[in-house]
mmCIF file of all heavy atoms in Angstrom:
data_model
loop_
_atom_site.group_PDB
_atom_site.id
_atom_site.type_symbol
_atom_site.label_atom_id
_atom_site.label_comp_id
_atom_site.label_asym_id
_atom_site.label_seq_id
_atom_site.Cartn_x
_atom_site.Cartn_y
_atom_site.Cartn_z
ATOM 1 N N SER A 23 11.531 17.386 -2.245
ATOM 2 C CA SER A 23 10.898 18.680 -1.956
ATOM 3 C C SER A 23 9.377 18.570 -2.034
ATOM 4 O O SER A 23 8.658 19.068 -1.165
ATOM 5 C CB SER A 23 11.410 19.751 -2.927
ATOM 6 O OG SER A 23 12.813 19.889 -2.845
ATOM 7 N N PHE A 25 7.662 15.821 -1.743
ATOM 8 C CA PHE A 25 7.275 14.932 -0.650
ATOM 9 C C PHE A 25 7.164 15.706 0.660
ATOM 10 O O PHE A 25 6.163 15.587 1.390
ATOM 11 C CB PHE A 25 8.315 13.817 -0.520
ATOM 12 C CG PHE A 25 8.041 12.817 0.573
ATOM 13 C CD1 PHE A 25 7.305 11.677 0.320
ATOM 14 C CD2 PHE A 25 8.530 13.022 1.860
ATOM 15 C CE1 PHE A 25 7.046 10.758 1.325
ATOM 16 C CE2 PHE A 25 8.280 12.118 2.876
ATOM 17 C CZ PHE A 25 7.533 10.977 2.608
ATOM 18 N N ALA A 26 8.186 16.507 0.973
ATOM 19 C CA ALA A 26 8.202 17.247 2.239
ATOM 20 C C ALA A 26 7.093 18.290 2.298
ATOM 21 O O ALA A 26 6.401 18.427 3.318
ATOM 22 C CB ALA A 26 9.572 17.910 2.419
ATOM 23 N N PHE A 30 3.836 18.150 4.978
ATOM 24 C CA PHE A 30 4.102 19.036 6.109
ATOM 25 C C PHE A 30 2.855 19.247 6.967
ATOM 26 O O PHE A 30 2.880 19.029 8.186
ATOM 27 C CB PHE A 30 4.637 20.391 5.604
ATOM 28 C CG PHE A 30 4.838 21.397 6.702
ATOM 29 C CD1 PHE A 30 5.912 21.302 7.561
ATOM 30 C CD2 PHE A 30 3.934 22.441 6.874
ATOM 31 C CE1 PHE A 30 6.096 22.223 8.586
ATOM 32 C CE2 PHE A 30 4.104 23.375 7.885
ATOM 33 C CZ PHE A 30 5.183 23.261 8.744
ATOM 34 N N ALA A 36 -1.102 15.662 12.831
ATOM 35 C CA ALA A 36 -1.259 14.241 13.165
ATOM 36 C C ALA A 36 -1.343 14.044 14.680
ATOM 37 O O ALA A 36 -0.747 14.801 15.458
ATOM 38 C CB ALA A 36 -0.088 13.433 12.603
ATOM 39 N N GLU A 37 -2.089 13.033 15.078
ATOM 40 C CA GLU A 37 -2.224 12.660 16.480
ATOM 41 C C GLU A 37 -1.802 11.199 16.626
ATOM 42 O O GLU A 37 -2.642 10.292 16.547
ATOM 43 C CB GLU A 37 -3.665 12.843 16.948
ATOM 44 C CG GLU A 37 -4.167 14.272 16.831
ATOM 45 C CD GLU A 37 -5.661 14.391 17.110
ATOM 46 O OE1 GLU A 37 -6.448 13.836 16.333
ATOM 47 O OE2 GLU A 37 -6.016 15.027 18.120
ATOM 48 N N LEU A 45 -1.141 2.218 19.229
ATOM 49 C CA LEU A 45 -1.777 1.591 20.390
ATOM 50 C C LEU A 45 -1.343 0.138 20.547
ATOM 51 O O LEU A 45 -1.094 -0.330 21.665
ATOM 52 C CB LEU A 45 -3.298 1.682 20.247
ATOM 53 C CG LEU A 45 -3.889 3.092 20.278
ATOM 54 C CD1 LEU A 45 -5.386 3.043 19.985
ATOM 55 C CD2 LEU A 45 -3.640 3.748 21.627
ATOM 56 N N TRP A 55 6.377 -8.683 25.118
ATOM 57 C CA TRP A 55 6.322 -9.489 23.894
ATOM 58 C C TRP A 55 6.331 -10.975 24.228
ATOM 59 O O TRP A 55 5.577 -11.761 23.653
ATOM 60 C CB TRP A 55 7.499 -9.135 22.990
ATOM 61 C CG TRP A 55 7.426 -9.771 21.634
ATOM 62 C CD1 TRP A 55 6.876 -9.250 20.512
ATOM 63 C CD2 TRP A 55 7.922 -11.073 21.267
ATOM 64 N NE1 TRP A 55 6.989 -10.130 19.460
ATOM 65 C CE2 TRP A 55 7.629 -11.265 19.896
ATOM 66 C CE3 TRP A 55 8.583 -12.092 21.953
ATOM 67 C CZ2 TRP A 55 7.959 -12.426 19.219
ATOM 68 C CZ3 TRP A 55 8.910 -13.259 21.274
ATOM 69 C CH2 TRP A 55 8.606 -13.413 19.915
ATOM 70 N N LEU A 77 -7.078 -14.190 25.691
ATOM 71 C CA LEU A 77 -8.431 -14.517 25.249
ATOM 72 C C LEU A 77 -8.947 -13.548 24.191
ATOM 73 O O LEU A 77 -10.001 -13.780 23.595
ATOM 74 C CB LEU A 77 -9.401 -14.509 26.436
ATOM 75 C CG LEU A 77 -9.130 -15.520 27.552
ATOM 76 C CD1 LEU A 77 -10.151 -15.358 28.664
ATOM 77 C CD2 LEU A 77 -9.144 -16.944 27.005
ATOM 78 N N PHE A 93 9.508 -1.959 19.063
ATOM 79 C CA PHE A 93 10.869 -1.512 19.374
ATOM 80 C C PHE A 93 11.048 -0.030 19.057
ATOM 81 O O PHE A 93 11.725 0.690 19.795
ATOM 82 C CB PHE A 93 11.890 -2.357 18.609
ATOM 83 C CG PHE A 93 12.054 -3.738 19.142
ATOM 84 C CD1 PHE A 93 11.580 -4.830 18.437
ATOM 85 C CD2 PHE A 93 12.675 -3.958 20.364
ATOM 86 C CE1 PHE A 93 11.721 -6.121 18.928
ATOM 87 C CE2 PHE A 93 12.827 -5.234 20.864
ATOM 88 C CZ PHE A 93 12.347 -6.330 20.147
ATOM 89 N N VAL A 149 1.806 9.491 6.390
ATOM 90 C CA VAL A 149 1.742 10.062 7.739
ATOM 91 C C VAL A 149 1.047 9.096 8.695
ATOM 92 O O VAL A 149 1.470 8.894 9.823
ATOM 93 C CB VAL A 149 1.031 11.425 7.718
ATOM 94 C CG1 VAL A 149 0.931 12.010 9.125
ATOM 95 C CG2 VAL A 149 1.768 12.394 6.800
ATOM 96 N N PRO A 151 0.587 5.598 9.889
ATOM 97 C CA PRO A 151 1.391 4.380 9.709
ATOM 98 C C PRO A 151 0.540 3.125 9.603
ATOM 99 O O PRO A 151 0.832 2.107 10.244
ATOM 100 C CB PRO A 151 2.246 4.370 10.981
ATOM 101 C CG PRO A 151 1.387 5.029 12.014
ATOM 102 C CD PRO A 151 0.602 6.087 11.276
ATOM 103 N N GLY A 157 2.084 -2.114 3.193
ATOM 104 C CA GLY A 157 2.419 -3.197 2.270
ATOM 105 C C GLY A 157 2.435 -2.759 0.810
ATOM 106 O O GLY A 157 3.062 -3.410 -0.025
ATOM 107 N N LEU A 172 20.430 -4.668 -13.029
ATOM 108 C CA LEU A 172 20.940 -5.670 -12.096
ATOM 109 C C LEU A 172 21.017 -7.029 -12.769
ATOM 110 O O LEU A 172 20.300 -7.313 -13.734
ATOM 111 C CB LEU A 172 20.029 -5.750 -10.866
ATOM 112 C CG LEU A 172 19.897 -4.500 -10.011
ATOM 113 C CD1 LEU A 172 18.821 -4.709 -8.937
ATOM 114 C CD2 LEU A 172 21.227 -4.147 -9.349
ATOM 115 N N CYS A 185 9.135 -9.466 -1.333
ATOM 116 C CA CYS A 185 7.828 -10.117 -1.233
ATOM 117 C C CYS A 185 7.603 -10.635 0.177
ATOM 118 O O CYS A 185 6.521 -10.474 0.753
ATOM 119 C CB CYS A 185 7.721 -11.263 -2.238
ATOM 120 S SG CYS A 185 7.473 -10.727 -3.945
ATOM 121 N N VAL A 197 -2.613 -10.020 -3.415
ATOM 122 C CA VAL A 197 -3.195 -9.621 -4.694
ATOM 123 C C VAL A 197 -2.088 -9.125 -5.634
ATOM 124 O O VAL A 197 -2.115 -9.386 -6.837
ATOM 125 C CB VAL A 197 -4.263 -8.526 -4.489
ATOM 126 C CG1 VAL A 197 -4.953 -8.184 -5.812
ATOM 127 C CG2 VAL A 197 -5.299 -8.970 -3.461
ATOM 128 N N LEU A 203 3.046 -12.362 -10.923
ATOM 129 C CA LEU A 203 3.171 -13.607 -11.691
ATOM 130 C C LEU A 203 3.188 -13.323 -13.188
ATOM 131 O O LEU A 203 3.892 -13.988 -13.948
ATOM 132 C CB LEU A 203 2.013 -14.545 -11.351
ATOM 133 C CG LEU A 203 2.169 -15.436 -10.120
ATOM 134 C CD1 LEU A 203 0.876 -16.189 -9.851
ATOM 135 C CD2 LEU A 203 3.331 -16.408 -10.299
ATOM 136 N N GLY A 237 3.468 -18.184 6.647
ATOM 137 C CA GLY A 237 3.713 -17.494 7.908
ATOM 138 C C GLY A 237 2.440 -16.911 8.493
ATOM 139 O O GLY A 237 2.195 -16.994 9.707
ATOM 140 N N TYR A 245 -2.473 -17.892 17.170
ATOM 141 C CA TYR A 245 -3.043 -16.813 17.977
ATOM 142 C C TYR A 245 -4.556 -16.863 18.129
ATOM 143 O O TYR A 245 -5.100 -16.206 19.020
ATOM 144 C CB TYR A 245 -2.666 -15.456 17.382
ATOM 145 C CG TYR A 245 -1.190 -15.135 17.450
ATOM 146 C CD1 TYR A 245 -0.589 -14.329 16.482
ATOM 147 C CD2 TYR A 245 -0.398 -15.620 18.480
ATOM 148 C CE1 TYR A 245 0.762 -14.016 16.541
ATOM 149 C CE2 TYR A 245 0.953 -15.315 18.545
ATOM 150 C CZ TYR A 245 1.528 -14.519 17.571
ATOM 151 O OH TYR A 245 2.858 -14.213 17.643
ATOM 152 N N GLN A 250 -15.021 -19.250 16.232
ATOM 153 C CA GLN A 250 -16.344 -18.797 15.804
ATOM 154 C C GLN A 250 -16.353 -17.302 15.533
ATOM 155 O O GLN A 250 -16.953 -16.834 14.558
ATOM 156 C CB GLN A 250 -17.386 -19.141 16.881
ATOM 157 C CG GLN A 250 -17.763 -20.615 16.926
ATOM 158 C CD GLN A 250 -18.911 -20.859 17.888
ATOM 159 O OE1 GLN A 250 -19.153 -20.069 18.797
ATOM 160 N NE2 GLN A 250 -19.622 -21.963 17.691
ATOM 161 N N ALA A 318 -11.661 -7.835 -8.228
ATOM 162 C CA ALA A 318 -12.193 -9.101 -7.710
ATOM 163 C C ALA A 318 -12.065 -9.160 -6.187
ATOM 164 O O ALA A 318 -12.982 -9.619 -5.490
ATOM 165 C CB ALA A 318 -11.453 -10.272 -8.353
ATOM 166 N N GLY A 325 -17.700 -5.902 2.273
ATOM 167 C CA GLY A 325 -17.861 -5.261 3.569
ATOM 168 C C GLY A 325 -16.581 -4.612 4.046
ATOM 169 O O GLY A 325 -16.593 -3.500 4.590
ATOM 170 N N PRO A 333 -6.868 -0.038 1.330
ATOM 171 C CA PRO A 333 -6.569 -0.909 0.180
ATOM 172 C C PRO A 333 -6.384 -0.167 -1.132
ATOM 173 O O PRO A 333 -5.682 -0.646 -2.036
ATOM 174 C CB PRO A 333 -7.792 -1.843 0.129
ATOM 175 C CG PRO A 333 -8.285 -1.896 1.531
ATOM 176 C CD PRO A 333 -8.073 -0.504 2.054
ATOM 177 N N CYS A 345 0.037 5.737 -16.386
ATOM 178 C CA CYS A 345 0.080 7.145 -16.773
ATOM 179 C C CYS A 345 1.320 7.426 -17.622
ATOM 180 O O CYS A 345 1.238 8.123 -18.639
ATOM 181 C CB CYS A 345 0.078 8.007 -15.511
ATOM 182 S SG CYS A 345 -0.086 9.763 -15.833
ATOM 183 N N GLY A 355 7.529 16.726 -27.649
ATOM 184 C CA GLY A 355 7.504 18.139 -28.003
ATOM 185 C C GLY A 355 6.415 18.853 -27.225
ATOM 186 O O GLY A 355 6.076 18.487 -26.086
ATOM 187 N N LEU A 357 3.196 18.938 -27.592
ATOM 188 C CA LEU A 357 1.992 18.159 -27.301
ATOM 189 C C LEU A 357 2.178 17.326 -26.025
ATOM 190 O O LEU A 357 1.281 17.270 -25.176
ATOM 191 C CB LEU A 357 1.656 17.252 -28.486
ATOM 192 C CG LEU A 357 0.315 16.503 -28.406
ATOM 193 C CD1 LEU A 357 -0.840 17.486 -28.289
ATOM 194 C CD2 LEU A 357 0.138 15.595 -29.621
ATOM 195 N N LEU A 365 -2.057 16.874 -16.786
ATOM 196 C CA LEU A 365 -2.161 15.865 -15.732
ATOM 197 C C LEU A 365 -1.695 16.413 -14.391
ATOM 198 O O LEU A 365 -2.307 16.138 -13.343
ATOM 199 C CB LEU A 365 -1.349 14.623 -16.107
ATOM 200 C CG LEU A 365 -1.881 13.790 -17.286
ATOM 201 C CD1 LEU A 365 -0.947 12.634 -17.577
ATOM 202 C CD2 LEU A 365 -3.287 13.269 -16.995
ATOM 203 N N SER A 386 -13.591 14.613 19.025
ATOM 204 C CA SER A 386 -14.094 15.967 19.187
ATOM 205 C C SER A 386 -13.705 16.527 20.555
ATOM 206 O O SER A 386 -13.307 15.785 21.468
ATOM 207 C CB SER A 386 -15.615 15.982 19.050
ATOM 208 O OG SER A 386 -16.209 15.258 20.123
ATOM 209 N N ILE A 392 -15.264 14.533 27.990
ATOM 210 C CA ILE A 392 -15.903 13.417 28.687
ATOM 211 C C ILE A 392 -14.849 12.408 29.137
ATOM 212 O O ILE A 392 -14.895 11.888 30.249
ATOM 213 C CB ILE A 392 -16.950 12.753 27.785
ATOM 214 C CG1 ILE A 392 -18.112 13.723 27.521
ATOM 215 C CG2 ILE A 392 -17.481 11.460 28.405
ATOM 216 C CD1 ILE A 392 -19.094 13.232 26.489
#
Side-chain angles (χ1 to χ4, degrees):
S23 301
F25 180 91
F30 175 75
E37 300 172 295
L45 295 174
W55 188 92
L77 298 178
F93 287 109
V149 179
L172 298 173
C185 285
V197 185
L203 275 174
Y245 293 150
Q250 285 187 337
C345 188
L357 187 59
L365 291 178
S386 66
I392 294 172

